[in-house]
Amino acid sequence: MRFEKAASPSTPTPTVSNSTLVYHLDLFIIAFIIAFFLFNIPRALVYLANHRSQVFQGYLLHSAKRLRMYRSTSKTMLQSEKEEPKKEKPEFVVPTLESPEARQKPWHFPMHLSLRHPAASFMHYRVLENYSIIQAILMSGYTGAVFYAAFYKSNPFAHPSRIGWIIASQFPFVYAFAGKSNVIGFLVGVGYEKLNYLHRHVGRLMVIGANVHAIGYIYKWTLAGNISSKLALPYACLHRPACIPYVIAASIIYGLDHIIRAIKTSFTTATIRSVPELGLTRVDIPTLNSGWRAGQHVRVRILSTAMGFLGMTEVHPFTIASATDTEEGLVLMCKKAGKWTNKLYGMSQMPELDEQGQQMDRRVRVMVEGPYGGIGDVTIPNYSGAMFVVGGSGVTFALSAVQDLVLVGDRSRIQIIEIIWSVPGPAALEGFISLFNTLVSQNIAATNSRLGITLTPGRPKMDKLLDIFVSSMRSKQGTHGAFVGVCGPVALAKDVAHSVRTFDANSKKAIGGIQFHEE
């Protein structure tokens, strides 16, 4: 008996060109990016108007000769109780404002979502592994657009070539969302880390699509009875004509990102010292004292054999703990949180000897790349109040932001500044007492705002603290909104986001809304 090969089922050929369909898919995605860019233009223009002399601040680290103030080094640096204070430098001098224009208050751009309750509260609700509702909507919309292109008048298993076209068309986007020098982030006013979730999501869609594409062809060849001969051929070469334009675009994006990162990289010498009370290493880089904004971070590589060969190849991000254009330069606080940071902490506990045989802070060669991230086009001095909720080493975010507010002086609209710091125990505060005293005295001298510092040994009671903060703003008739920033563990960020989201709508509206930022 002779068996005939089963005939493959008849399926209609798609009437839509695959190249045309993915072209329109890419245009749709680009149109959405442009829409967010247009939405961000007013805030970007306000930022540029308020920082006309610092338009390029936040893009390139460098050394500035003209500094904004002098500070007492012994007061501002974190020192262990065992360390001897170093020779004091000139005390803090309030910067003089030479022109009447410099004394003008910054322009304020009112927030949109923060004034529309409950829409704003719903959009910031946390779901799906700590994604906000707005992030989930964007991911769902992106998935829907890709699925629409995949299934429109087509069966992926009968015509798997379309899935291949879609995968190829997403190569530029998966690289664009991942770049450290992120063009999309620059257009929409956020740091690259805020877009990384889209990079991961597009990557997942590409992996799923690649599997469907392969299974579709295997299914098709199996029905045709020639799967063995097909799999024996080097089919990768057949992808080239369709993939070349997209691969070139992705290569350009990837190459430009690395060129810009190379330009933003500095090789210099840093001093390191341990802060046992907090279990962290303080890294001082005085040769880099300008070029960043409050809340930004840098990526650091330690060029020392004491870190081990693999340790020298690792790059780690740390939030900048100092204000720009100051005498102390760039300061980082690296908490022990893994093998690399533990090695760094161990190095800091082995001081060097100077020519007189006395101990001095250890010096190491470092590679510093950045700055990156930050709060984007948000201008904290525009608001009537600012609250910083931080946990552990996340205090670096608050320190740089508050020092920057002090330097702005009476040009700021800020009336109330609150720092809420969650620490493991009283011992962690020893190295910060003098620093906080200095911040308070500088704030009184330079601004008309009130600086409050709340220290809590555990999770802060955010509902109560936020209510006190807003009540203080209302008593001072602050109507230009409040900025609430958080930096610390995920659980702390979720608590703060929940408190801001569920806060009384009328109280929010009375102060001009609440702008929430998670570092």
Side-chain angles (χ1 to χ4, degrees):
M1 181 180 292
R2 182 181 178 184
F3 293 94
E4 298 290 339
K5 287 191 296 185
S8 59
S10 176
T11 54
T13 302
T15 58
V16 181
S17 168
N18 291 333
S19 59
T20 302
L21 193 64
V22 298
Y23 173 72
H24 285 92
L25 171 65
D26 289 352
L27 285 181
F28 177 78
I29 296 171
I30 293 172
F32 253 82
I33 295 173
I34 293 175
F36 277 91
F37 165 64
L38 295 175
F39 184 79
N40 185 61
I41 283 179
R43 173 163 286 178
L45 292 176
V46 168
Y47 181 86
L48 292 175
N50 290 332
H51 301 83
R52 288 187 292 270
S53 62
Q54 299 177 338
V55 173
F56 299 106
Q57 194 84 334
Y59 297 103
L60 186 66
L61 299 174
H62 60 277
S63 178
K65 295 181 179 179
R66 183 179 179 183
L67 304 178
R68 291 191 288 182
M69 72 177 196
Y70 295 96
R71 284 196 291 186
S72 170
T73 305
S74 63
K75 289 183 178 181
T76 57
M77 66 173 55
L78 295 177
Q79 293 179 323
S80 170
E81 291 295 323
K82 299 178 182 180
E83 296 179 12
E84 293 295 329
K86 298 186 178 182
K87 184 178 179 180
E88 293 191 0
K89 297 182 181 180
E91 293 291 334
F92 170 73
V93 178
V94 180
T96 58
L97 304 175
E98 299 177 356
S99 63
E101 181 183 0
R103 292 186 174 273
Q104 294 179 358
K105 300 293 183 183
W107 292 8
H108 179 70
F109 179 70
M111 293 161 285
H112 294 295
L113 290 178
S114 58
L115 297 178
R116 288 167 172 79
H117 185 86
S121 299
F122 174 75
M123 296 300 281
H124 290 288
Y125 188 79
R126 300 281 170 159
V127 295
L128 300 174
E129 300 181 3
N130 206 35
Y131 292 117
S132 67
I133 288 291
I134 191 169
Q135 289 176 331
I137 290 175
L138 288 175
M139 290 190 295
S140 299
Y142 205 110
T143 303
V146 170
F147 275 41
Y148 176 81
F151 288 96
Y152 180 68
K153 295 183 179 181
S154 176
N155 182 342
F157 289 101
H159 305 287
S161 61
R162 178 179 292 183
I163 302 297
W165 277 91
I166 293 174
I167 295 169
S169 72
Q170 296 306 299
F171 271 111
F173 292 105
V174 78
Y175 280 95
F177 286 128
K180 299 294 185 293
S181 303
N182 203 297
V183 176
I184 298 176
F186 174 78
L187 293 176
V188 301
V190 298
Y192 76 91
E193 71 280 5
K194 304 299 182 184
L195 297 175
N196 195 259
Y197 76 97
L198 287 175
H199 161 70
R200 298 193 302 270
H201 184 66
V202 176
R204 295 187 191 106
L205 292 176
M206 292 178 68
V207 171
I208 294 172
N211 281 278
V212 173
H213 178 65
I215 293 171
Y217 270 107
I218 292 172
Y219 170 75
K220 186 177 181 179
W221 295 334
T222 302
L223 291 180
N226 59 355
I227 184 171
S228 298
S229 59
K230 292 290 186 180
L231 291 178
L233 296 174
Y235 263 87
C237 65
L238 298 181
H239 291 103
R240 292 175 186 172
C243 291
I244 285 176
Y246 300 106
V247 172
I248 290 175
S251 300
I252 292 173
I253 293 171
Y254 182 80
L256 287 176
D257 176 62
H258 277 71
I259 290 172
I260 296 173
R261 288 171 64 176
I263 295 172
K264 298 176 74 168
T265 299
S266 301
F267 292 87
T268 185
T269 301
T271 59
I272 58 175
R273 67 172 70 94
S274 63
V275 184
E277 297 84 3
L278 287 172
L280 57 81
T281 306
R282 174 177 168 124
V283 181
D284 288 85
I285 310 176
T287 54
L288 299 175
N289 56 24
S290 184
W292 66 89
R293 302 176 190 169
Q296 288 192 303
H297 67 270
V298 293
R299 293 162 56 83
V300 178
R301 175 181 281 131
I302 304 296
L303 305 176
S304 172
T305 54
M307 298 295 293
F309 176 75
L310 293 179
M312 291 177 62
T313 63
E314 294 183 26
V315 181
H316 291 260
F318 298 101
T319 301
I320 301 172
S322 55
T324 187
D325 296 330
T326 59
E327 188 175 61
E328 64 185 345
L330 191 148
V331 178
L332 306 173
M333 297 180 190
C334 312
K335 185 177 178 62
K336 293 192 298 180
K339 186 176 180 180
W340 190 90
T341 48
N342 273 282
K343 283 186 177 181
L344 179 62
Y345 184 81
M347 285 180 59
S348 67
Q349 292 185 311
M350 296 183 291
E352 296 179 344
L353 299 178
D354 59 15
E355 296 177 354
Q356 286 75 33
Q358 297 180 346
Q359 288 189 351
M360 58 182 293
D361 294 330
R362 182 159 184 171
R363 293 174 297 177
V364 294
R365 291 290 293 175
V366 295
M367 188 193 81
V368 184
E369 178 193 328
Y372 297 116
I375 56 178
D377 294 330
V378 176
T379 306
I380 300 178
N382 286 1
Y383 299 94
S384 297
M387 171 184 278
F388 303 95
V389 186
V390 294
S393 59
V395 72
T396 55
F397 168 61
L399 291 177
S400 61
V402 172
Q403 290 178 75
D404 202 59
L405 288 173
V406 169
L407 292 174
V408 172
D410 58 2
R411 291 170 292 169
S412 171
R413 295 181 184 273
I414 291 285
Q415 296 174 316
I416 298 174
I417 304 172
E418 288 287 343
I419 299 177
I420 300 171
W421 187 20
S422 176
V423 292
L429 307 179
E430 294 179 5
F432 279 87
I433 293 176
S434 61
L435 174 58
F436 285 144
N437 286 336
T438 303
L439 281 178
V440 172
S441 62
Q442 290 175 354
N443 184 69
I444 294 173
T447 72
N448 295 320
S449 62
R450 177 180 67 82
L451 173 60
I453 301 171
T454 301
L455 305 172
T456 171
R459 194 80 59 83
K461 298 179 179 179
M462 280 309 306
D463 292 339
K464 181 179 180 180
L465 292 170
L466 187 60
D467 183 65
I468 295 173
F469 173 68
V470 172
S471 298
S472 300
M473 285 187 60
R474 296 186 70 174
S475 67
K476 290 181 173 292
Q477 298 181 343
T479 59
H480 288 89
F483 175 87
V484 176
V486 59
C487 183
V490 175
L492 177 64
K494 290 180 69 174
D495 283 353
V496 178
H498 179 269
S499 297
V500 172
R501 185 177 65 250
T502 58
F503 196 72
D504 180 66
N506 294 327
S507 297
K508 278 185 182 178
K509 191 172 183 179
I511 63 171
I514 298 177
Q515 174 73 48
F516 175 72
H517 172 79
E518 182 180 346
E519 183 64 18

